[in-house]
């Protein structure tokens, strides 16, 4: 139980720092309209699990800790929540693999040829397997070790070659950029910080960052094969087809999906000046530096020996 109490103590620190970073990220993205890069979201993700502390401080005190009853109850509830969410995620993986068994491998020569072209242009060695499945979305990538592309046959089959290149190039780029790995890591972080609502908001924002990062990288990779306008029109077409498909299956496109698609289209078609990009990058770097400094400062009054700078010097220097 002592290990659980110590672990919960560390998580409380990291979830505070991560929550403050999430609030700042939302402020810059939603208020100042600064496009957040993937590295910025990844840094925020790490803040929820890796504590940045001042030198000569210890995450776990070498002395025996006597925790109050309320804290021990809270840490017990925390570990119970982790167990329940872990079981829930395992069940989702099991059901997903069972659903995969019922999917058919894509034998459409046109789709496979375009996928092979996109894979080669992205610089991947292995061409991913393509399956036809029952999805609300037109396409998605599933799996981490051996990722595969799942397509909604009813939606995909009517697309032109240019539209197929945009769709398949986008999914292949998810593999190239390692978004599935980052997504699974964030899932684990959400499990550890399940009691903090801001971590779930941060996860949604990170998923959106992965999509916009993928759009940008796909357009760079397919340069000359598809224009920004054609890429944006493809997204509009998929929105329309997804909504029409929803009227039959009962799974209409949600508001969240629409807003994300709208954001992606705006970013694809927008052109930012070099000066604004430079200012935005400097502002984001300043946020990262500020969060690191804040984490170090707070750690001096949180971790052992604490409060480290209550008298201006480390306790270890007083001995």
């Amino acid at each position: 139980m002592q290990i659980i109490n110590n672990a919960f103590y560390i998580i409380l620190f990291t979830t505070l720092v991560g929550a403050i970073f999430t609030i700042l990220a939302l402020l810059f993205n939603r208020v100042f309209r600064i496009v957040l890069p993937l590295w910025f979201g990844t840094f925020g993700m790490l803040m929820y699990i890796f504590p940045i502390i001042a030198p000569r401080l210890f995450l776990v005190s070498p002395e025996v800790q006597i925790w109050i009853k309320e804290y021990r109850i809270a840490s017990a509830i925390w570990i119970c929540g982790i167990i329940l969410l872990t079981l829930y995620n395992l069940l989702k993986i099991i059901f997903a693999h069972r659903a995969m068994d019922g999917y058919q491998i894509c034998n459409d020569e046109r789709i496979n040829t375009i996928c092979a072209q996109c894979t080669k242009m992205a610089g991947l060695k292995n061409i991913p397997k393509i399956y036809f499945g029952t999805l609300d979305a037109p396409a998605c990538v599933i799996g981490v070790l051996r990722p595969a592309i799942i397509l909604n046959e009813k939606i995909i089959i009517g697309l032109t070659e240019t539209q197929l290149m945009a769709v398949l190039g986008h999914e292949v780029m998810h593999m190239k950029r390692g978004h599935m790995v980052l997504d699974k890591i964030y899932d684990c972080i959400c499990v550890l910080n399940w009691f903090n609502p801001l971590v779930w908001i941060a996860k949604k924002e990170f998923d959106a960052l992965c999509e916009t990062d993928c759009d940008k990288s796909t357009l760079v990779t397919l340069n000359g094969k598809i224009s920004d306008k054609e890429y944006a029109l493809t997204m509009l077409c998929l929105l329309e087809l997804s909504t029409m498909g929803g009227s039959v299956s009962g799974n209409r496109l949600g508001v969240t999906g629409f807003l994300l698609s709208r954001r992606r289209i705006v970013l694809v078609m927008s052109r930012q000046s070099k000066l604004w990009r430079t200012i935005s990058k400097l502002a984001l770097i300043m946020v990262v530096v500020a969060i690191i400094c804040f984490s170090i400062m707070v750690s001096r009054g949180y971790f052992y020996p604490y409060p480290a700078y209550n008298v201006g010097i480390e306790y270890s220097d007083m001995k």
Side-chain angles (χ1 to χ4, degrees):
M1 193 64 186
Q2 186 70 20
I3 296 177
I4 295 175
N5 290 333
N6 288 331
F8 186 47
Y9 191 72
I10 297 172
I11 287 295
L12 287 176
F13 175 82
T14 57
T15 203
L16 169 65
V17 177
I20 293 174
F21 182 89
T22 298
I23 293 172
L24 291 175
L26 290 172
L27 177 67
F28 273 73
N29 183 241
R30 302 298 177 87
V31 178
F32 299 116
R33 301 296 180 183
I34 292 179
V35 180
L36 304 180
L38 187 63
W39 66 263
F40 189 77
T42 304
F43 176 82
M45 175 184 74
L46 296 177
M47 287 294 95
Y48 278 102
I49 192 171
F50 291 117
I52 300 177
I53 64 175
R56 291 179 290 181
L57 296 184
F58 299 91
L59 293 176
V60 178
S61 173
E63 301 176 355
V64 177
Q65 301 296 301
I66 301 176
W67 307 99
I68 61 175
K69 180 181 178 181
E70 290 77 8
Y71 178 84
R72 287 186 280 112
I73 293 174
S75 61
I77 295 174
W78 170 67
I79 200 66
C80 288
I82 290 177
I83 294 172
L84 290 176
L85 285 174
T86 302
L87 292 175
Y88 172 74
N89 287 329
L90 288 175
L91 288 175
K92 284 177 60 178
I93 294 174
I94 292 172
F95 287 135
H97 280 285
R98 287 187 177 181
M100 282 283 294
D101 293 337
Y103 292 166
Q104 295 181 349
I105 294 180
C106 174
N107 293 318
D108 189 302
E109 184 177 351
R110 183 177 67 129
I111 294 176
N112 289 328
T113 300
I114 294 175
C115 183
Q117 293 175 357
C118 293
T119 303
K120 183 178 180 181
M121 294 178 69
L124 293 178
K125 296 181 180 179
N126 300 322
I127 301 175
K129 290 184 178 180
I130 302 177
Y131 294 88
F132 283 136
T134 54
L135 301 171
D136 296 338
C140 73
V141 177
I142 187 172
V144 175
L145 299 178
R146 291 180 296 177
I149 299 175
I150 313 296
L151 301 177
N152 187 321
E153 186 175 7
K154 293 181 180 179
I155 296 177
I156 293 297
I157 204 69
L159 299 181
T160 64
E161 289 191 5
T162 301
Q163 292 171 334
L164 277 175
M165 180 165 287
V167 172
L168 294 173
H170 180 91
E171 301 307 324
V172 168
M173 192 54 60
H174 274 307
M175 303 178 189
K176 173 72 174 180
R177 301 285 288 176
H179 292 159
M180 291 80 64
V181 177
L182 294 174
D183 184 70
K184 292 303 178 185
I185 293 174
Y186 223 134
D187 284 339
C188 296
I189 291 173
C190 286
V191 170
L192 291 174
N193 297 268
W194 62 265
F195 55 90
N196 184 355
L198 284 172
V199 75
W200 300 98
I201 296 175
K203 173 64 166 59
K204 290 292 184 182
E205 289 298 310
F206 186 78
D207 291 341
L209 283 184
C210 287
E211 293 299 328
T212 54
D213 175 73
C214 197
D215 291 332
K216 179 181 177 181
S217 301
T218 301
L219 285 170
V220 172
T221 301
L222 300 180
N223 185 28
K225 298 290 184 179
I226 183 172
S227 65
D228 296 357
K229 183 178 180 180
E230 290 173 325
Y231 192 89
L233 288 174
T234 299
M235 284 193 280
L236 286 174
C237 179
L238 292 176
L239 277 174
E240 180 182 4
L241 293 174
S242 298
T243 304
M244 292 173 60
S247 63
V248 176
S249 63
N251 296 321
R252 292 184 179 275
L253 181 68
V255 176
T256 303
F258 173 78
L259 292 177
L260 174 58
S261 298
R262 179 181 178 276
R263 187 196 305 184
R264 290 172 58 194
I265 292 171
V266 170
L267 290 177
V268 166
M269 298 302 297
S270 63
R271 291 291 181 272
Q272 294 182 335
S273 66
K274 185 176 180 180
L275 176 61
W276 177 249
R277 290 198 302 268
T278 303
I279 293 174
S280 300
K281 186 179 294 185
L282 290 175
L284 296 179
I285 292 174
M286 288 175 62
V287 170
V288 170
V289 173
I291 287 295
I292 292 175
C293 293
F294 173 80
S295 180
I296 292 174
M297 180 183 66
V298 174
S299 70
R300 289 168 176 162
Y302 192 87
F303 293 106
Y304 181 89
Y306 49 84
Y309 276 106
N310 192 41
V311 292
I313 57 175
E314 299 279 2
Y315 277 5
S316 58
D317 292 340
M318 299 173 60
K319 297 181 179 180

